């Protein structure tokens, strides 16, 4: 569907607007009108440093909008982007290794979202997920590698109230999140419909303690491969370590 107009400026600011708006500064590329199935600025992904949603626009497909924009640091006024009918958020910020703040996403209505896979893959500068606290992900099915390789991420508390009742695939969701130490935010998740959790905490080498939802049918060593051998795993009112799971 048609979204609006996009202009990339020499200072690295990508401006998306409902009407064709030109700001008083040097233009790098005027992309004109665009549709959500193809984002023309991806050909200049290296140039983009910040994105400003100037006024109210709507998209029904957010897949890979900012894929590999590794110099992107700042998101401005993303509450102006209506994603209420969007089902696919996969790869949205995949590879945005300089992105440091996602609080501009806090008012997003993601209730139609089904695929969140690789959404923040490789966002290695993110330390917190503040901004995702109130997301309604109750229709989400795929969360594969959603936060994979977010190497600075230390706090998952913003996820504690997520309704994951339709979630089926959590493969590598927090793979290589090497700054995680203690994870309790997931303990109340309802993931009884989950089919796959392999490698969910793979390579989380500094993780010391984790609470796994009791709604998960079983836990296995593959969930914690290459984690600290003394990792304490709380599940079903017991505390396990990695070696306890080798027989599962």
């Amino acid at each position: 569907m048609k979204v609006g107009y996009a202009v990339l400026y020499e200072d690295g600011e990508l401006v998306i607007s409902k009407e064709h708006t030109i700001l008083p500064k040097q233009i790098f590329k005027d992309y004109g009108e665009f549709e959500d199935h193809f984002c023309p600025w991806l050909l200049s992904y290296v140039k983009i440093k910040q994105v400003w949603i100037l006024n109210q626009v709507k998209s029904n497909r957010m897949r890979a909008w900012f894929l590999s924009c590794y110099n992107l640091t700042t998101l401005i006024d993303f509450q102006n982007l209506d994603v209420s009918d969007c089902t696919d958020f996969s790869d949205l910020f995949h590879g945005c290794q300089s992105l440091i703040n996602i609080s501009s996403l806090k008012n997003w209505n993601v209730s139609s979202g089904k695929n969140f896979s690789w959404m923040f893959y490789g966002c290695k500068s993110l330390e917190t997920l503040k901004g995702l606290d109130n997301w309604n992900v109750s229709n989400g099915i795929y969360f594969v590698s959603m936060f994979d390789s977010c190497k600075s991420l230390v706090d998952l508390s913003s996820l504690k109230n997520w309704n994951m009742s339709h979630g089926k695939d959590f493969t590598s969701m927090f793979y290589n999140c090497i700054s995680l130490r203690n994870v309790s935010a997931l303990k109340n998740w309802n993931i009884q419909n989950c089919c796959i959790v392999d490698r969910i905490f793979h390579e989380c080498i500094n993780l010391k303690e984790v609470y796994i939802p009791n709604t998960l049918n079983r836990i296995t060593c593959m969930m914690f491969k290459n984690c600290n051998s003394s990792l304490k795993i709380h599940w079903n009112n017991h505390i396990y370590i990695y070696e306890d799971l080798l027989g599962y």
Side-chain angles (χ1 to χ4, degrees):
M1 65 175 287
K2 292 181 179 178
V3 177
Y5 296 82
V7 181
L8 179 58
Y9 293 88
E10 281 290 352
D11 61 3
E13 183 174 61
L14 175 67
V15 177
I16 296 173
S17 57
K18 185 175 182 178
E19 307 295 338
H20 195 194
T21 304
I22 302 297
L23 301 182
K25 54 183 180 178
Q26 190 172 359
I27 295 174
F28 174 78
K29 181 75 173 180
D30 184 351
Y31 300 106
E33 193 173 39
F34 73 98
E35 298 188 0
D36 54 9
H37 68 275
F38 175 70
C39 302
W41 57 80
L42 288 180
L43 300 175
S44 303
Y45 63 91
V46 176
K47 184 76 174 176
I48 299 172
K49 296 179 180 178
Q50 66 180 32
V51 181
W52 183 14
I53 311 297
L54 188 63
N55 40 44
Q56 193 72 27
V57 294
K58 184 174 183 176
S59 172
N60 289 347
R61 185 181 185 276
M62 296 300 298
R63 178 177 173 82
W65 265 39
F66 305 109
L67 177 66
S68 299
C69 292
Y70 58 80
N71 288 315
L72 174 62
T73 63
T74 310
L75 309 177
I76 304 173
D77 291 338
F78 267 61
Q79 70 276 5
N80 287 331
L81 181 52
D82 181 354
V83 295
S84 59
D85 292 324
C86 181
T87 59
D88 190 354
F89 293 90
S90 62
D91 294 297
L92 177 55
F93 298 105
H94 187 152
C96 293
Q97 62 183 30
S98 300
L99 188 62
I100 56 176
N101 190 325
I102 56 174
S103 61
S104 189
L105 307 179
K106 65 182 178 182
N107 293 318
W108 263 15
N109 177 0
V110 298
S111 59
S112 295
K114 296 183 183 300
N115 191 353
F116 295 90
S117 298
W118 304 285
M119 188 175 184
F120 297 99
Y121 182 104
C123 292
K124 65 180 185 179
S125 297
L126 279 181
E127 296 183 4
T128 177
L129 300 177
K130 288 182 179 178
L132 307 186
D133 308 53
N134 298 317
W135 273 18
N136 177 0
V137 295
S138 59
N139 284 311
I141 298 174
Y142 306 106
F143 297 88
V144 177
S145 292
M146 187 176 185
F147 303 104
D148 191 330
S149 298
C150 290
K151 295 184 177 182
S152 298
L153 190 60
V154 297
D155 182 13
L156 300 183
S157 60
S158 295
L159 311 182
K160 66 181 180 181
N161 293 320
W162 277 15
N163 179 352
M164 307 298 272
S165 57
H166 284 92
K168 291 185 177 180
D169 194 344
F170 297 88
T171 303
S172 302
M173 189 173 183
F174 302 103
Y175 188 122
N176 200 26
C177 290
I178 60 175
S179 295
L180 289 178
R181 297 292 193 277
N182 298 285
V183 176
S184 61
L186 317 186
K187 65 181 178 181
N188 293 321
W189 278 9
N190 177 2
I191 55 175
Q192 62 185 5
N193 291 316
C194 174
C195 298
I196 309 173
V197 289
D198 285 355
R199 301 185 299 279
I200 187 171
F201 290 107
H202 190 169
E203 299 286 354
C204 293
I205 57 176
N206 293 304
L207 189 60
K208 298 182 182 302
E209 196 162 18
V210 60
Y211 288 77
I212 301 301
N214 291 339
T215 51
L216 183 64
N217 293 328
R218 63 193 297 264
I219 58 176
T220 69
C221 59
M222 281 301 295
M223 294 170 60
F224 310 99
K225 190 175 181 181
N226 291 354
C227 286
N228 191 315
S229 60
S230 61
L231 167 65
K232 292 181 179 179
I233 304 160
H234 297 255
W235 179 68
N236 264 351
N237 301 315
H238 288 83
I239 301 176
Y240 302 86
I241 60 172
Y242 181 79
E243 290 184 354
D244 295 330
L245 306 180
L246 293 178
Y248 277 65

